[in-house]
Amino acid sequence: MLSTQQKIQFSSYSGLYDIIVPKDNLLRKINDLIDFSFIYDELLAKYCQTNGRTAESPIKMFKYLLLKTIYTVSDVDVVERSRYDMSFKYFLEMAPEEDVINSSSLTKFRKLRLKDMDLLNLLINRTVTIALEKGIIKSKSIIVEATHTVSRSNPHTALAVLRERSKLLRKAIYQIDGEYKRNLPQKNESNDLDQELAYCRELQRVLDEDQSIIEIPAVKEKLNLLKETIEDTKEYYLLSKDDEARLGHKSVDSSFFGYKTHLAMTEERIITAAVVTTGEKGDGPELPRLLEISQQNGMQVDTIIGDAAYSGKENLQLAKEQNIDIIAKLNPSITQGFRKDKDKFDYNKDADMFVCPAGHLAIRKARQGKKEQGTNQTETYYFDVEKCKVCPLREGCYKQGARTKSYSVSIKSELHREQMAFQQTDYYRSKSKQRYKIEAKNSELKNVHGYGRADAYGIHNMEMQGAMAIFTVNLKRILKLI
């Protein structure tokens, strides 16, 4: 049960706060900056008004979670520190002599009260509103980037999980009938995943045909677990206790298992939008959502700053429709192709043909692909193969015995041509220098507030962790700028 009126603490010892907690204390400044009553209003419907014992104030519980994020401590430690740290007591609006909560209450609060709640957008909206009201945000640019968070659960290879599940299944069978082993297929001894899958499917087939054995609860339970693992392996080759985390890539040679948080931030370093996805998702496709959320939170956007991941054709089209500049380099394959300089063919504008490195002009050209199909058309130029056969530069260029030799180039859309020209402007160059700021913000989230590793399983808990971390860094930034 939650009281409809918030309790006001009266204590003869409250004057201690004025002596012990200085005016420039971070927690005192946060209390003065923001009215936390919006938390009470948002969560009021989650409590019963008539039955049960009186619950702890949702504002106090939320502030406990905020303290956890600010100081990167556990539930047990944040509660223990609030027992003796007067700045904590002041922030929690407790009387100096008041006893603390049980740390297990924080788990219940997260699971029961914050469930099915869009805490991420709620808290970002609140801080952006404060920043706008105080005139902190003056720019109309947002910097976009994605940062990764590793799962708290280490991934296991599908091969290892399949072997473990099939082993448990066989063990359950042998406990009932030790002689049943002769009915089962021969175990796979290799480290090949396909062979292990084939063995598990054959094991499943054999048991499915024997109703007398699979109706035994212990066997049926293990068999169903194996079937589920086989199905999961068809799509994912890493399995974990965190069944929503996915394998993502930071580079060609570097990967992680977990989640991505896509961020939009102003030049004043206030985060205006965030979207949490699984680790394998691309960065560029999230730009429309980041832009929309930033605008809903009160931002006027005329420039988007990001890396090459955000310069896709769909994003360029969206920006053009809203008269927004995108400060993001086009993919190199669009501007100059992936060929090395020594392999590039030169364009002869007079002949409207390409000339090969040996100086031979193409003899004809043909256009391939259709317009408005989502991908660029290509122009293919054909060369005299008889000249190629005897060319001194034929090695690595002409395949012996080939009947044709061609060179293809992508036909750039009007959007791409406009963006290529925009990249040469002074405005583009000056704005692109702002992108480093979001890298620094990612570092703060991870290294100061523990956002490099997930606290719990699942994307909902990841969003909750992101909400508290972003709320914290935004509040700290606002306090620094006012």
Side-chain angles (χ1 to χ4, degrees):
M1 182 175 70
L2 184 65
S3 173
T4 55
Q5 292 186 341
Q6 299 182 54
K7 184 169 58 175
I8 300 175
Q9 295 289 350
F10 294 101
S11 171
S12 56
Y13 301 105
S14 294
L16 289 172
Y17 289 135
D18 295 330
I19 301 172
I20 298 174
V21 184
K23 298 294 184 183
D24 61 351
N25 178 271
L26 174 64
L27 299 181
R28 181 185 281 273
K29 289 163 73 176
I30 291 176
N31 254 358
D32 294 340
L33 174 67
I34 185 168
D35 179 5
F36 286 93
S37 62
F38 74 95
I39 296 293
Y40 183 91
D41 297 335
E42 288 289 335
L43 296 179
L44 185 60
K46 301 252 181 172
Y47 292 84
C48 178
Q49 305 298 325
T50 56
N51 295 323
R53 65 180 182 179
T54 303
E56 292 287 350
S57 165
I59 296 177
K60 179 196 285 190
M61 301 301 285
F62 175 81
K63 284 185 173 182
Y64 264 116
L65 297 183
L66 187 56
L67 287 171
K68 264 177 58 68
T69 304
I70 294 173
Y71 296 99
T72 320
V73 291
S74 66
D75 288 0
V76 173
D77 289 336
V78 75
V79 171
E80 181 60 27
R81 187 167 168 180
S82 69
R83 190 185 302 277
Y84 60 81
D85 191 317
M86 293 297 281
S87 65
F88 274 39
K89 283 182 175 287
Y90 175 82
F91 182 67
L92 295 167
E93 299 180 88
M94 297 168 58
E97 71 275 19
E98 187 178 347
D99 199 8
V100 297
I101 64 170
N102 189 299
S103 60
S104 63
S105 299
L106 292 176
T107 302
K108 290 291 185 182
F109 180 71
R110 280 191 293 262
K111 289 184 176 180
L112 300 180
R113 310 308 179 193
L114 300 183
K115 183 181 179 182
D116 303 325
M117 179 183 178
D118 190 4
L119 189 66
L120 183 62
N121 284 327
L122 173 68
L123 297 184
I124 291 177
N125 175 270
R126 184 62 52 168
T127 52
V128 173
T129 299
I130 292 172
L132 288 170
E133 289 174 349
K134 293 187 175 296
I136 292 172
I137 298 177
K138 297 181 175 65
S139 69
K140 295 183 179 180
S141 302
I142 57 172
I143 311 168
V144 290
E145 180 64 289
T147 187
H148 73 279
T149 304
V150 298
S151 170
R152 67 174 300 185
S153 172
N154 292 327
H156 303 283
T157 65
L159 178 66
V161 177
L162 285 168
R163 280 187 173 165
E164 180 64 22
R165 300 280 163 85
S166 62
K167 177 182 176 182
L168 292 174
L169 176 57
R170 291 193 302 271
K171 185 177 180 180
I173 294 171
Y174 299 158
Q175 287 176 345
I176 297 163
D177 184 357
E179 299 298 320
Y180 202 87
K181 183 177 182 178
R182 59 173 177 251
N183 298 330
L184 301 179
Q186 185 176 357
K187 284 193 296 183
N188 170 48
E189 300 295 341
S190 75
N191 290 323
D192 186 85
L193 177 60
D194 290 333
Q195 292 185 32
E196 187 65 30
L197 274 170
Y199 164 73
C200 290
R201 290 192 183 101
E202 180 62 17
L203 179 62
Q204 175 189 333
R205 185 193 65 77
V206 170
L207 294 177
D208 283 340
E209 292 176 354
D210 189 349
Q211 293 295 318
S212 63
I213 192 73
I214 65 171
E215 289 302 322
I216 300 172
V219 175
K220 188 175 184 178
E221 180 182 311
K222 300 296 188 295
L223 178 59
N224 288 337
L225 197 58
L226 180 62
K227 288 179 179 178
E228 183 180 282
T229 306
I230 292 172
E231 289 299 315
D232 288 344
T233 306
K234 291 178 182 178
E235 186 173 358
Y236 307 111
Y237 285 82
L238 285 174
L239 302 171
S240 165
K241 289 182 180 178
D242 191 350
D243 57 6
E244 291 185 301
R246 294 290 179 266
L247 185 69
H249 294 275
K250 294 181 282 184
S251 67
V252 175
D253 303 316
S254 179
S255 62
F256 69 95
F257 183 75
Y259 302 91
K260 273 187 178 180
T261 303
H262 307 264
L263 300 173
M265 185 187 79
T266 69
E267 292 183 22
E268 294 81 11
R269 308 193 191 198
I270 302 295
I271 295 174
T272 60
V275 175
V276 178
T277 66
T278 48
E280 87 286 6
K281 300 296 185 183
D283 299 353
E286 301 302 326
L287 178 60
R289 293 177 66 190
L290 292 174
L291 175 60
E292 180 183 5
I293 294 171
S294 296
Q295 291 170 334
Q296 289 174 350
N297 287 337
M299 277 293 298
Q300 295 181 25
V301 180
D302 63 11
T303 306
I304 297 172
I305 306 168
D307 58 25
Y310 299 96
S311 62
K313 196 171 182 179
E314 295 81 3
N315 290 339
L316 294 176
Q317 183 62 45
L318 173 67
K320 185 176 182 180
E321 291 170 357
Q322 299 192 31
N323 198 27
I324 295 173
D325 293 326
I326 288 191
I327 310 297
K329 288 185 177 179
L330 288 173
N331 188 297
S333 65
I334 294 174
T335 55
Q336 62 187 37
F338 289 114
R339 296 177 177 87
K340 298 177 182 178
D341 287 342
K342 66 177 183 179
D343 298 327
K344 284 185 177 179
F345 286 42
D346 294 321
Y347 179 70
N348 185 305
K349 64 181 179 62
D350 296 322
D352 193 24
M353 289 288 181
F354 272 83
V355 179
C356 77
H360 302 303
L361 190 69
I363 56 176
R364 67 184 180 91
K365 64 179 180 179
R367 181 168 295 188
Q368 298 176 350
K370 297 181 178 179
K371 292 183 178 180
E372 310 299 330
Q373 295 298 312
T375 58
N376 290 337
Q377 294 177 289
T378 58
E379 197 98 289
T380 302
Y381 295 81
Y382 296 89
F383 291 82
D384 187 346
V385 75
E386 295 303 320
K387 293 180 181 178
C388 296
K389 289 178 181 179
V390 295
C391 178
L393 303 179
R394 63 183 180 275
E395 186 176 349
C397 179
Y398 170 73
K399 186 177 180 181
Q400 194 66 34
R403 300 177 63 182
T404 61
K405 168 60 186 174
S406 62
Y407 180 86
S408 298
V409 294
S410 175
I411 301 174
K412 301 173 182 66
S413 68
E414 184 63 29
L415 281 171
H416 288 150
R417 284 193 288 269
E418 290 175 0
Q419 185 68 10
M420 288 172 63
F422 179 54
Q423 286 179 192
Q424 306 305 316
T425 63
D426 292 337
Y427 179 78
Y428 178 96
R429 294 191 184 97
S430 65
K431 282 292 184 181
S432 63
K433 295 177 182 179
Q434 302 292 322
R435 205 177 77 80
Y436 79 93
K437 293 179 178 179
I438 201 162
E439 299 289 355
K441 186 63 67 175
N442 288 341
S443 177
E444 180 185 0
L445 286 167
K446 290 182 177 182
N447 298 327
V448 181
H449 300 293
Y451 203 58
R453 185 177 178 86
D455 290 338
Y457 298 141
I459 198 165
H460 174 72
N461 287 318
M462 191 68 246
E463 288 177 343
M464 194 183 305
Q465 183 180 347
M468 301 306 298
I470 293 169
F471 188 62
T472 298
V473 296
N474 272 0
L475 287 177
K476 288 167 64 178
R477 185 63 182 169
I478 292 170
L479 288 170
K480 187 172 183 177
L481 294 179
I482 58 176

